[in-house]
Amino acid sequence: RKDTELLHNETIKPALKLLWTTGFEGAEQEFLDAFERHRKGENKDAILDALKAFESVMKSICDGMGYTYDPTKNTAKDLIVILENNSFYPTYLNNHITSVRTSLESGLPTMRNKNAGHGQGTMVVSVSDEFTEYALNLAATNIVLLTKIYAAKKAGGN
């Protein structure tokens, strides 16, 4: 499909290319694992790996920028707050970034929690391909945004 091909070329490929750079090896592996699991039909695990990649990107950024965080305890929501509190985002975009933060917090982490992150109980929880593809695309979009901001900051930009 053209829409899937366009999204792949404009989001997934750039995310993989950005993760290929030094410092993001863990996130790259997790993101590739997410696609491999999706290919195998392991959709719940694919969503988990997508969130791991997203969190790993933020941890790598915290490491690279010297931001303090707890690598064993901080969740995606915590890491977003840490980036915000350290002015990782330009201050003139605070209102906009607050909306992005809300989207990030309620998007991928929530999908993980509702569909794959907790015990399913007596009923087998099935995650459809469209939700898995959405999670992968959402992770890729957020990875591209964060890694581009990081690269600009490391290059001396704001």
Side-chain angles (χ1 to χ4, degrees):
R1 291 182 8 210
K2 290 289 184 192
D3 59 336
T4 302
E5 184 179 326
L6 177 66
L7 198 54
H8 183 77
N9 288 332
E10 296 297 321
T11 306
I12 304 301
K13 283 184 179 179
L16 288 169
K17 184 176 180 182
L18 289 164
L19 290 177
W20 190 67
T21 61
T22 302
F24 293 103
E25 294 86 358
E28 177 190 24
Q29 183 59 56
E30 290 160 343
F31 200 50
L32 290 170
D33 288 347
F35 280 95
E36 180 63 19
R37 289 181 184 269
H38 177 49
R39 187 185 66 75
K40 292 179 177 178
E42 300 168 0
N43 288 344
K44 290 186 278 188
D45 290 329
I47 291 173
L48 286 171
D49 285 337
L51 180 62
K52 286 179 187 177
F54 175 54
E55 287 180 350
S56 289
V57 164
M58 290 187 286
K59 287 179 179 182
S60 295
I61 289 169
C62 287
D63 289 338
M65 299 298 292
Y67 301 156
T68 302
Y69 72 102
D70 185 334
T72 61
K73 291 184 181 176
N74 287 141
T75 64
K77 182 176 181 176
D78 300 328
L79 293 164
I80 292 166
V81 171
I82 290 166
L83 294 180
E84 184 177 280
N85 288 344
N86 281 282
S87 300
F88 181 73
Y89 308 114
T91 56
Y92 62 85
L93 290 177
N94 275 347
N95 287 338
H96 174 70
I97 295 300
T98 298
S99 297
V100 171
R101 178 179 154 200
T102 300
S103 176
L104 295 177
E105 289 174 0
S106 63
L108 193 56
T110 301
M111 281 195 65
R112 175 255 186 208
N113 289 338
K114 297 293 183 189
N115 292 302
H118 301 287
Q120 61 188 345
T122 58
M123 298 291 294
V124 175
V125 176
S126 177
V127 179
S128 64
D129 285 341
E130 62 269 15
F131 285 111
T132 306
E133 290 167 10
Y134 173 73
L136 294 170
N137 292 329
L138 185 57
T141 298
N142 295 323
I143 286 167
V144 168
L145 173 65
L146 293 177
T147 55
K148 284 188 173 186
I149 292 171
Y150 176 72
K153 285 189 167 288
K154 288 308 236 181
N158 294 328

